[in-house]
Amino acid sequence: MEGEKTYISAEELKEHNKSGDLWISIQGKVYDVSEWAKEHPGGEIPLLNMAGQDVTDAFLAYHPGTAWQYLDKLFTGYHLKNFEVSEVSKDYRRLVSEFAKA
């Protein structure tokens, strides 16, 4: 059984949007990528552009499956309150999944 989750709001996530204080959400889990930004293969700019928001679709679009292994050590312990996947994102994810299977 999963333990009690700790949540932050989208407004709280938005406060972490600058160099040295970069948080993102992927599938409702919040990650602190402040230190990772220095090592990020795509550089710091993409992270700065997406900081403080949910980046699930961008993560799926631009990262290989092997990138997931790096996320655990960046997890803040927070989950995004009231996280919902938009219908457009659901369609996009279905399409990505179908292409990946093909």
Side-chain angles (χ1 to χ4, degrees), residues 13-19 21-23 48 51-52:
L13 179 62
K14 287 178 188 173
E15 294 174 10
H16 301 275
N17 65 355
K18 56 193 163 297
S19 187
D21 184 20
L22 291 171
W23 287 18
L48 282 169

Side-chain angles (χ1 to χ4, degrees), residues 5-16 23-25 28-31 76-83:
K5 291 182 179 178
T6 306
Y7 293 93
I8 65 169
S9 68
E11 290 73 30
E12 290 171 296
L13 179 62
K14 287 178 188 173
E15 294 174 10
H16 301 275
W23 287 18
I24 58 172
S25 168
K29 290 177 80 174
V30 178
Y31 300 93
T76 61
Y78 294 115
H79 292 80
L80 197 55
K81 189 186 311 180
N82 301 324
F83 173 72

Side-chain angles (χ1 to χ4, degrees), residues 31-72:
Y31 300 93
D32 181 348
V33 295
S34 304
E35 292 300 314
W36 173 247
K38 299 170 189 161
E39 301 174 39
H40 185 250
E44 185 180 40
I45 299 299
L47 294 173
L48 282 169
N49 287 335
M50 304 295 284
Q53 56 190 316
D54 183 76
V55 302
T56 301
D57 293 323
F59 184 84
L60 292 171
Y62 294 106
H63 296 85
T66 55
W68 289 96
Q69 67 185 331
Y70 299 102
L71 291 178
D72 283 345

